[in-house]
Amino acid sequence: MNGLEKINERIRRDGQAEADAILAEAGKRIEVAQAGYRAQAEQLTADAQAKRRQMVAERLERLQGSADMERRQLLLGAKQACIDEAFSKAAEALRALPRDEYVSLLARVAADNGEGTEELILSAADREAVGADVVSAANATKAGAAFTLSDETRELGGGLVLKKGQVEINCAFDTRLRQLRQEMASDVARILFD
């Protein structure tokens, strides 16, 4: 090998060594960059999973809240239906009383709610069946009373209306039970559901 070849060979070896060093450095930089990108990708994946879990938890919480509210509404509706049925059965029981008890009840209602000078308005069926007896019993129940049987009738569903001039006191069973329901709904619910 001559001097020129030796110089060329040395330049080639130095160039190769420098190229190898550059490639090694580039490989290290690539590995560092890849590790950084992997860590960044893992962090992005973990963040996305955490966000997804949070979104799922929030959605589940909203759905649970909606389900709880719907359950409470259904339960309240069922309780209201039971209370409605209880008052409906009470109205039926009042209308189904034996004649003497029914007359006595209507007489007490008139005596307790009237002054004693009112007309008693009944349903057409009650006026026909028990009207005169109710008036007699009401007058006997309240001292000094002079209740009279009205010629007027109304579909009351049981009970009566006290009328004096333009003033009326509605003592129909449905009306009284509706008032009682408003006053006693919580007591009835406690009895039925506790």
Side-chain angles (χ1 to χ4, degrees):
M1 221 185 240
N2 64 24
L4 189 58
E5 289 177 358
K6 284 183 183 182
I7 293 173
N8 278 339
E9 182 60 30
R10 188 170 182 201
I11 291 173
R12 189 186 66 71
R13 266 185 291 152
D14 288 347
Q16 185 64 45
E18 192 176 330
D20 288 344
I22 290 172
L23 284 174
E25 181 63 29
K28 287 179 186 175
R29 285 185 181 174
I30 289 172
E31 286 178 21
V32 168
Q34 284 177 336
Y37 289 135
R38 261 194 247 73
Q40 191 176 14
E42 288 171 3
Q43 185 61 46
L44 288 172
T45 300
D47 290 348
Q49 287 175 341
K51 187 174 182 178
R52 183 176 48 86
R53 279 192 299 272
Q54 181 182 358
M55 287 172 58
V56 166
E58 288 171 358
R59 177 75 173 139
L60 185 61
E61 187 176 332
R62 283 192 303 271
L63 288 173
Q64 185 66 42
S66 294
D68 286 346
M69 182 180 291
E70 186 173 341
R71 181 188 54 80
R72 285 190 303 270
Q73 288 174 341
L74 288 172
L75 183 60
L76 178 61
K79 286 180 177 183
Q80 290 292 346
C82 287
I83 292 170
D84 289 345
E85 185 176 348
F87 277 94
S88 177
K89 287 191 185 280
E92 289 173 18
L94 289 171
R95 286 189 287 270
L97 285 173
R99 184 182 192 285
D100 291 343
E101 290 180 37
Y102 189 66
V103 168
S104 177
L105 173 64
L106 291 180
R108 275 188 313 219
V109 168
D112 290 347
N113 292 286
E115 296 173 0
T117 57
E118 295 88 353
E119 292 179 67
L120 303 183
I121 301 172
L122 302 170
S123 69
D126 282 351
R127 186 179 193 288
E128 180 70 30
V130 295
D133 292 338
V134 170
V135 171
S136 295
N139 286 330
T141 302
K142 187 170 189 95
F147 290 109
T148 58
L149 184 60
S150 177
D151 291 333
E152 181 181 353
T153 61
R154 297 201 188 145
E155 290 310 312
L156 302 172
L160 54 85
V161 173
L162 297 163
K163 182 176 180 181
K164 184 175 184 180
Q166 299 298 314
V167 178
E168 293 184 358
I169 300 173
N170 188 344
C171 297
F173 293 157
D174 291 343
T175 302
R176 298 301 261 192
L177 287 171
R178 198 171 28 256
Q179 290 169 343
L180 280 173
R181 179 185 177 153
Q182 291 173 352
E183 295 168 12
M184 299 176 62
S186 61
D187 294 334
V188 171
R190 193 170 24 261
I191 291 166
L192 289 174
F193 305 114
D194 285 346

